[in-house]
Amino acid sequence: MNFFAGSDHAGLELKRYLISLLQEGGHQVIDVGTDSAMSCDYPDFAHTVAEHVLENPGSFGLLTCGSGIGMSIAANRHAGIRAALCHTSLEARLSREHNDANVLVLGGRIIGTELAKDIIEAFVKTPFAGGRHAGRIRKIEEC
């Protein structure tokens, strides 16, 4: 899988950890920033990741900020982006299986690294189920 990863200052350390896990798993990851712990604006990175995912069909996004809420709101402003804020591996699996999520969002101040590892593994391993879920995705995209 190919990922574009972005974070603000609050999600920086979690993003770095998850990038290393993805790379160890053989995935390609392009980090679009931030690379600094200085305060910055999460929408800048959410928009950049969303644009890259839309320009590269079949790719995925990874976004981290303090809670994950702001990143998911900003990313989901882009038609064609289905950003899922996940707190459990079950949510990650269902976001892929039922919602064909193409961006995973995590809160660096909310979850620890072991849980984040479980979540990203579930996200990566789960394909979209299609079937009845495909019609629901079409309805989302019609808005």
Side-chain angles (χ1 to χ4, degrees):
M1 294 175 115
N2 295 324
F3 279 86
F4 294 94
S7 71
D8 68 359
H9 56 284
L12 178 61
E13 291 306 313
L14 183 59
K15 178 189 70 172
R16 287 178 173 163
Y17 171 73
L18 294 171
I19 287 173
S20 69
L21 287 179
L22 287 168
Q23 290 173 332
E24 288 171 13
H27 304 283
Q28 179 183 5
V29 184
I30 296 173
D31 186 349
V32 302
T34 190
D35 59 1
S36 169
M38 290 180 51
S39 182
C40 59
D41 297 333
Y42 63 83
D44 297 335
F45 303 100
H47 294 315
T48 299
V49 166
E51 290 164 4
H52 281 298
V53 169
L54 292 170
E55 292 168 1
N56 295 276
S59 67
F60 293 88
L62 170 64
L63 292 168
T64 60
C65 65
S67 68
I69 296 168
M71 284 288 199
S72 61
I73 291 169
N76 279 318
R77 299 282 298 159
H78 295 261
I81 292 296
R82 291 172 304 281
L85 173 58
C86 297
H87 300 97
T88 67
S89 57
L90 175 60
E91 290 171 324
R93 181 177 64 80
L94 293 173
S95 77
R96 288 287 305 125
E97 189 175 291
H98 293 186
N99 309 114
D100 197 17
N102 53 9
V103 176
L104 174 62
V105 186
L106 300 171
R109 293 179 176 156
I110 305 296
I111 61 171
T113 56
E114 286 304 308
L115 180 54
K117 179 181 177 182
D118 292 343
I119 291 169
I120 201 154
E121 286 176 356
F123 188 87
V124 166
K125 291 179 181 176
T126 306
F128 177 50
R132 70 182 192 274
H133 304 293
R136 295 169 182 158
I137 299 305
R138 280 192 297 277
K139 287 182 177 186
I140 293 171
E141 297 303 318
E142 290 172 357
C143 287

